[in-house]
Amino acid sequence: MNLADRIQALRKAQGISQEELADRLGVSRQAVSKWESEQSTPDVEKIIRLSECFGVTADYLLRGIEPSPPAQPRRQPAAGVFAAAGTALNAAGLLICAILWYEQQSAVAFAGAVMMIMGCMIYAVGLASADPATKPAAKRQFWSFNIWILPFVPLSVLVNILTWGRYGRVELAPYPTFITDGVAVFALLYLLAGIAGTWYIRRRWKKEV
């Protein structure tokens, strides 16, 4: 297919006559007829006008080269998936810490803490590569739960160390092992940390909205 054929094919595809095309271009109907019958060739200005009229490129008219389709942007994953996965790992890690310590009373119990670290890493790495539009909701989702999960083990260890002198021994357990005032101190610290964290998250969320 040459230039004449393409002009004729595009004109017919749009359902316009030679006279209508000529009016749009500001030329005579005979000029259009000569282009389509290869008796003459439109100049550069008319080629540009024809490409605009037909909605194609000048390259297509002259050489039949179709424009390359625009590259589709790579779809980014939703951040909520990583927030949910990180939260699940953190909760599982906390549970494993407690179960292993209850059964063995050894440092093996802190294997669950490795899972919690992994949960936070999955959340952080995933958030960096996720769809930006989904990040604010994912951050609220993750921290609304994890502000109550993550401080549990470190606060438990802290309370167990602080009560060491009173009970004559120390247990680096992932949950409070001393009753009475030890548990009361832990509960107070845990509630304060959770409430303060929740307040901060809600305050920041209102600012973002």
Side-chain angles (χ1 to χ4, degrees):
M1 184 181 287
N2 55 26
L3 174 60
D5 295 332
R6 281 189 284 273
I7 293 173
Q8 186 178 64
L10 288 168
R11 177 180 62 77
K12 289 182 177 180
Q14 295 194 7
I16 58 177
S17 65
Q18 288 184 346
E19 189 170 353
E20 288 173 321
L21 180 59
D23 288 341
R24 294 184 187 183
L25 299 174
V27 298
S28 66
R29 187 194 64 77
Q30 288 78 9
V32 174
S33 177
K34 288 181 179 180
W35 294 344
E36 293 185 359
S37 61
E38 296 186 79
Q39 295 179 40
S40 66
T41 302
D43 59 27
V44 175
E45 182 184 349
K46 295 300 185 295
I47 291 291
I48 294 173
R49 294 284 300 279
L50 281 165
S51 66
E52 292 172 350
C53 180
F54 293 138
V56 297
T57 63
D59 250 0
Y60 175 74
L61 277 175
L62 293 170
R63 298 188 291 171
I65 298 175
E66 296 278 3
S68 301
Q72 294 295 323
R74 185 174 64 88
R75 188 175 180 182
Q76 295 174 294
V81 175
F82 301 104
T87 300
L89 270 178
N90 289 343
L94 178 59
L95 186 61
I96 288 173
C97 278
I99 292 173
L100 289 179
W101 183 269
Y102 182 79
E103 292 181 349
Q104 301 183 24
Q105 286 82 47
S106 70
V108 176
F110 288 91
V114 176
M115 288 185 65
M116 298 173 76
I117 293 172
M118 288 177 59
C120 292
M121 288 178 63
I122 286 173
Y123 164 71
V125 173
L127 199 69
S129 61
D131 183 352
T134 64
K135 288 183 181 182
K139 289 177 183 178
R140 294 193 296 272
Q141 174 189 340
F142 181 83
W143 289 111
S144 294
F145 290 103
N146 287 275
I147 199 66
W148 294 95
I149 296 173
L150 296 175
F152 192 92
V153 171
L155 285 178
S156 296
V157 173
L158 176 63
V159 168
N160 289 331
I161 291 173
L162 291 175
T163 54
W164 171 33
R166 169 165 267 184
Y167 295 96
R169 69 185 189 281
V170 62
E171 290 185 338
L172 299 178
Y175 55 81
T177 56
F178 300 120
I179 58 174
T180 65
D181 56 340
V183 172
V185 171
F186 170 81
L188 179 62
L189 291 174
Y190 182 69
L191 284 173
L192 286 175
I195 292 171
T198 301
W199 173 82
Y200 175 77
I201 290 167
R202 289 184 177 178
R203 183 168 173 268
R204 183 163 184 175
W205 172 69
K206 287 181 180 178
K207 285 184 177 180
E208 289 182 356
V209 171

